[in-house]
Amino acid sequence: MVEEGSLLARMLEGVPAGDVLTERILDAAREQFMTFGLRRSTVDDVAKRAGVSRVTVYRRVGSKDELVQRVLLREYRHFVAEVDAAVAGLPTMEERMVEGFAAILRLIRGHPLIGGLLRLEPETMLPYLTLESGPSFLAMRGYLAGHLRRARRGEGRGAGDPTAVAELMVRITVSFLLNPVSCFALDDDEQAREFARRYLAPLLDR
């Protein structure tokens, strides 16, 4: 089993400073996936767009699955920074969770790569958003669990393990992103906040 800590570290740290070639390959992969989708893209396509050989892509990043995972992790790193900024000034764990849920839905739905692929190729994106097939799920669960753990200590709620609650929150969010058809109205930020207050906030005391 992959260690969550290492996945989270990869998500937050990204490509080592100065690794210009790897960044160029990931930039090319991002553009390729946005333009043609995941199904129609190959490692050869990415290599051509980056101006490198296929072997260089494999040596620097890996297979197509690893390319997708690395590109997604890099995008999630940007989400982490934006969500952290959105919730930084809020005083309670509940308020930060509510605002974070709304921010994540807004950011991912409006993202030119991830939001676009979720609309056009949800079945292709599914493996990269589940526990079985990609690091992104574990990284996001670890990120949220870390936030909840620190918030619990800061508010004197005890030192219980919030991993299960974090997993439920991530799974609920992913399910809405993959299948937006629902009896719950989540079309804008205020509706997302109301949903989070009513259904997610009670999980914080579990």
Side-chain angles (χ1 to χ4, degrees):
M1 182 175 178
V2 183
E3 290 292 333
E4 270 184 75
S6 64
L7 292 170
L8 185 58
R10 284 175 57 199
M11 181 179 73
L12 295 175
E13 293 169 7
V15 176
D19 194 350
V20 177
L21 181 55
T22 299
E23 285 284 9
R24 194 167 90 207
I25 292 170
L26 294 178
D27 287 341
R30 185 182 190 274
E31 291 300 316
Q32 177 67 31
F33 299 152
M34 279 200 303
T35 304
F36 294 100
L38 298 183
R39 282 194 301 261
R40 295 172 57 195
S41 297
T42 67
V43 172
D44 286 330
D45 294 328
V46 173
K48 183 176 180 181
R49 188 178 286 268
V52 299
S53 70
R54 186 170 186 264
V55 172
T56 299
V57 174
Y58 275 108
R59 285 177 176 169
R60 287 281 179 159
V61 181
S63 65
K64 178 181 172 181
D65 277 347
E66 290 170 310
L67 268 174
V68 175
Q69 289 172 0
R70 288 284 294 274
V71 169
L72 290 178
L73 284 170
R74 195 172 64 161
E75 298 305 310
Y76 292 143
R77 192 169 70 251
H78 299 320
F79 290 151
V80 165
E82 293 191 53
V83 172
D84 279 348
V87 306
L90 299 175
T92 69
M93 180 168 64
E94 179 174 334
E95 289 175 286
R96 291 193 292 274
M97 185 274 296
V98 167
E99 193 58 38
F101 177 74
I104 287 171
L105 285 185
R106 179 179 69 252
L107 290 168
I108 292 182
R109 285 171 172 171
H111 194 274
L113 172 62
I114 299 173
L117 289 174
L118 282 170
R119 287 189 295 273
L120 298 175
E121 298 183 26
E123 73 288 349
T124 308
M125 282 293 289
L126 180 60
Y128 300 104
L129 294 173
T130 57
L131 180 62
E132 290 80 10
S133 303
S136 304
F137 180 92
L138 290 175
M140 294 307 293
R141 186 180 73 181
Y143 161 74
L144 180 55
H147 266 277
L148 293 176
R149 192 173 290 111
R150 290 188 294 274
R152 286 178 65 85
R153 287 197 298 264
E155 296 182 13
R157 296 187 182 217
D161 184 2
T163 301
V165 172
E167 176 162 327
L168 284 173
M169 290 181 175
V170 174
R171 286 187 180 277
I172 289 168
T173 304
V174 168
S175 71
F176 280 121
L177 290 168
L178 288 172
N179 186 3
V181 178
S182 172
C183 65
F184 298 106
L186 295 171
D187 299 325
D188 57 40
D189 281 2
E190 193 46 52
Q191 290 176 337
R193 292 185 188 105
E194 179 57 29
F195 173 87
R197 289 187 196 102
R198 180 172 295 186
Y199 299 104
L200 298 184
L203 294 173
L204 295 175
D205 292 320
R206 295 291 180 183

